[in-house]
Amino acid sequence: MSNETRDGRAWQPDYLLDIDKDKCIGCGRCYKVCGRDVMTLKGINEDGDIVSLDDDEDDEVEKKVMVMNDMGACIGCGACARVCPANCQIHGLEKAAA
């Protein structure tokens, strides 16, 4: 896929493909710069399972991490990668399945 900027320069999207939960520190910076709900904050329990962050289950959460929410909404702008202090995101050219 090849795209152009508004003035015709070549631009290649770099889509968010995955987030490494072992590297992610759950800071939420990527979530704040993404206006497309591509990712969301979840918890990891003591068994290593990803769980919702409900008020009732906060005691069971060992760590908070960002996870993919709507991969198909990513436009490949790279804003999330620029603000991530943990370098935990995997980006590439692969499109999400429709």
Side-chain angles (χ1 to χ4, degrees):
M1 179 175 174
S2 177
N3 292 315
E4 295 179 348
T5 63
R6 208 165 150 187
D7 66 359
R9 287 178 278 169
W11 176 73
Q12 184 67 50
D14 200 18
Y15 302 111
L16 178 60
L17 303 177
D18 201 7
I19 300 169
D20 186 335
K21 67 178 181 166
D22 295 326
K23 289 183 180 180
C24 180
I25 60 173
C27 68
R29 291 178 187 167
C30 56
Y31 178 79
K32 291 173 186 168
V33 299
C34 180
R36 304 191 54 84
D37 292 326
V38 173
M39 62 215 83
T40 191
L41 189 64
K42 296 282 186 170
I44 297 181
N45 65 16
E46 61 185 27
D47 296 327
D49 299 325
I50 295 178
V51 296
S52 293
L53 290 175
D54 298 330
D55 291 336
D56 301 340
E57 299 177 10
D58 276 351
D59 295 339
E60 298 175 16
V61 172
E62 298 288 316
K63 177 183 174 183
K64 294 179 181 178
V65 295
M66 298 307 297
V67 298
M68 299 300 291
N69 181 54
D70 186 359
M71 181 186 274
C74 181
I75 60 171
C77 69
C80 56
R82 288 190 297 276
V83 298
C84 180
N87 195 27
C88 64
Q89 300 169 355
I90 300 161
H91 288 81
L93 301 176
E94 181 182 323
K95 285 183 155 186

